[in-house]
Amino acid sequence: MRTTVGIIGAGPAGLLLARLLHNAGIDSVVLESRDRAYVEHRQRAGILEQGTVDVLRAAGAGARMDREGLRHDGIELRFAGRRHRVDFPALTGGRSVTVYAQTEVCKDLIARRLEEGGPLLFEAEALAVEDAESERPRVRFRHAGRQDVLECAYVVGCDGFRGVTRGVFPTSSRVYERTYPYAWLGILADVAPSHDELVYARHDRGFALLSMRSPSVSRLYLQVPADTDADDWTDEAVWDELERRLETGDDWRLERGPVTQKSVTPMRSYVHEPMRHGRVLLAGDAAHIVPPTGAKGLNLAVGDVVTLARALVHERDTGSSELLETYSATCLRRVWQAERFSYDLTTLLHRDPADTPFDARLQLARLDRITSHRGAETDLAEAYTGFPLDA
């Protein structure tokens, strides 16, 4: 098989890149090791920045998002029994975020890809990427019981942290990472959200988040020790702990309902530099991971592929590889700002087992600063709604 751009991974990064390239008249083949049902149902991120929403609309993949997505104009911070709403449009010149699950983004992009006949191979396992520094790198893969080779002008690894693509990068590549001493216990519940916007709660017992997937499905999280087994928590115990950590000094109440899913999400930060080696490029989780507190993972992947698609179109139209040569540096500026924000928000709201009473008071002082100083609050709102896709 031959194509211009070989894309490994049919998550949001790979699927959106294929969509952007198709719209620009550049052919690609997408290889995905899992089956379609798995890709369309694995639970991941659910917050789309303003820039991500704009990109999906412009790409012709935003119709269902606009019908079913939930626009949010703010979040609520809770600490020391207090409630404070951060008004995004007022602080950012009109920007907002949209609650629309990554699973739904993938469904929409898969449907468009298959409708238009673009090559998208499920259960196609990439075995190796070869000849990264040549003009025709190759992907060896297994599909339908036999091995095959995909020859490309460029290979893009959207295959996540455990994918094969990073293996072609030289040992001189730098890896930066941090593992946090806690995790998130998350539940999906068939109950209407108890608040119409996301609630981020800092509590002496640990962090809690009230989120949602739809007007009738709630998504909630608790900070737990990193080695937690979800099965050790009964549904009643989860609701009881959420109620404690989300409590306020007024008459707000947490609504309970049947728990349909329960899982534990580890917390880590990771960046691989550079994001390009020869004609092989990384995008999304293959290049960087952020703790979920700042809702940046999916949105960073969108920023990567928008930057990459622009560079590939520029090369085709002008013959210049200038934008491809600066792809890594361009993306990493945005990546590190997202890493900073995610780290700041995580350490602001979570209780580290090693924290002292001094650390706890510093958290409260930081929250008091955000909720009483417009400049500090604006910085949070601008970061949460999204850094520019070209920076």
Side-chain angles (χ1 to χ4, degrees):
M1 296 177 66
R2 289 192 174 189
T3 191
T4 302
V5 181
I7 301 171
I8 305 175
L15 291 167
L16 181 57
L17 177 60
R19 178 69 188 167
L20 296 173
L21 294 177
H22 171 84
N23 290 348
I26 297 176
D27 62 292
S28 66
V29 173
V30 183
L31 306 176
E32 168 56 47
S33 62
R34 303 282 193 162
D35 61 27
R36 181 177 179 179
Y38 179 88
V39 174
E40 292 187 337
H41 292 92
R42 56 184 168 190
Q43 290 293 328
R44 292 292 189 273
I47 304 295
L48 307 184
E49 296 174 355
Q50 182 71 63
T52 296
V53 169
D54 295 342
V55 166
L56 290 171
R57 286 173 179 156
R64 192 163 70 93
M65 172 191 70
D66 284 334
R67 291 195 307 270
E68 301 178 12
L70 306 175
R71 171 178 166 142
H72 281 198
D73 286 336
I75 58 172
E76 183 172 286
L77 299 176
R78 293 189 184 179
F79 61 101
R82 294 169 51 190
R83 304 172 62 178
H84 178 86
R85 182 175 184 267
V86 179
D87 186 329
F88 292 156
L91 295 163
T92 65
R95 298 211 305 267
S96 63
V97 298
T98 296
V99 175
Y100 191 65
Q102 176 175 311
T103 51
E104 307 310 309
V105 173
C106 288
K107 288 176 187 175
D108 296 342
L109 290 168
I110 288 170
R112 295 308 305 268
R113 181 76 173 173
L114 296 179
E115 286 168 7
E116 293 162 354
L120 169 54
L121 304 182
F122 290 104
E123 299 181 86
E125 180 187 6
L127 303 174
V129 178
E130 301 172 344
D131 301 329
E133 297 181 79
S134 74
E135 293 193 357
R136 297 298 297 181
R138 302 182 299 172
V139 182
R140 292 195 175 275
F141 68 98
R142 182 185 296 112
H143 181 243
R146 67 184 183 88
Q147 289 195 26
D148 205 341
V149 175
L150 177 63
E151 295 186 356
C152 321
Y154 291 97
V155 174
V156 183
C158 303
D159 49 348
F161 180 75
R162 294 180 176 83
V164 301
T165 312
R166 282 188 301 113
V168 307
F169 279 67
T171 56
S172 59
S173 299
R174 295 291 303 275
V175 169
Y176 303 88
E177 58 186 327
R178 174 184 291 272
T179 300
Y180 297 85
Y182 37 75
W184 278 10
L185 172 65
I187 64 168
L188 275 176
D190 286 338
V191 61
S194 300
H195 194 64
D196 55 2
E197 293 176 336
L198 273 68
V199 176
Y200 288 78
R202 184 266 175 207
H203 193 277
D204 287 341
R205 295 175 64 91
F207 169 75
L209 172 62
L210 185 158
S211 182
M212 66 281 295
R213 284 292 179 264
S214 75
S216 60
V217 176
S218 293
R219 182 73 161 157
L220 303 107
Y221 299 93
L222 285 172
Q223 175 190 342
V224 293
D227 59 354
T228 294
D229 184 337
D231 292 336
D232 291 341
W233 283 76
T234 66
D235 294 356
E236 183 179 8
V238 173
W239 286 118
D240 287 347
E241 191 61 23
L242 284 165
E243 197 165 80
R244 290 188 193 98
R245 298 188 194 182
L246 291 165
E247 65 184 354
T248 63
D250 55 22
D251 60 356
W252 180 87
R253 293 291 180 270
L254 177 67
E255 297 297 328
R256 303 188 181 202
V259 174
T260 59
Q261 186 184 105
K262 195 184 302 175
S263 61
V264 173
T265 301
M267 306 282 283
R268 64 191 304 243
S269 301
Y270 173 90
V271 180
H272 183 283
E273 294 188 4
M275 293 171 58
R276 179 194 177 193
H277 173 58
R279 287 177 170 260
V280 176
L281 306 102
L282 302 176
D285 286 357
H288 41 72
I289 295 171
V290 290
T293 323
K296 291 294 170 224
L298 167 61
N299 297 291
L300 276 182
V302 170
D304 292 346
V305 299
V306 167
T307 302
L308 180 51
R310 185 183 299 128
L312 290 166
V313 171
H314 180 75
E315 184 191 48
R316 182 202 57 191
D317 292 347
T318 68
S320 169
S321 61
E322 176 186 6
L323 296 184
L324 281 167
E325 291 168 0
T326 59
Y327 164 74
S328 182
T330 299
C331 289
L332 285 169
R333 284 195 297 272
R334 189 169 185 268
V335 166
W336 277 111
Q337 286 302 315
E339 292 283 356
R340 173 198 62 81
F341 172 69
S342 298
Y343 172 83
D344 286 349
L345 198 59
T346 299
T347 57
L348 173 70
L349 297 169
H350 290 73
R351 182 175 182 180
D352 191 301
D355 278 353
T356 66
F358 179 85
D359 297 309
R361 290 293 290 130
L362 280 182
Q363 284 184 319
L364 294 173
R366 291 165 64 192
L367 283 161
D368 188 61
R369 175 70 173 175
I370 290 169
T371 57
S372 61
H373 188 275
R374 186 175 179 86
E377 188 176 16
T378 298
D379 184 64
L380 185 153
E382 288 180 343
Y384 196 98
T385 55
F387 302 105
L389 293 179
D390 58 354

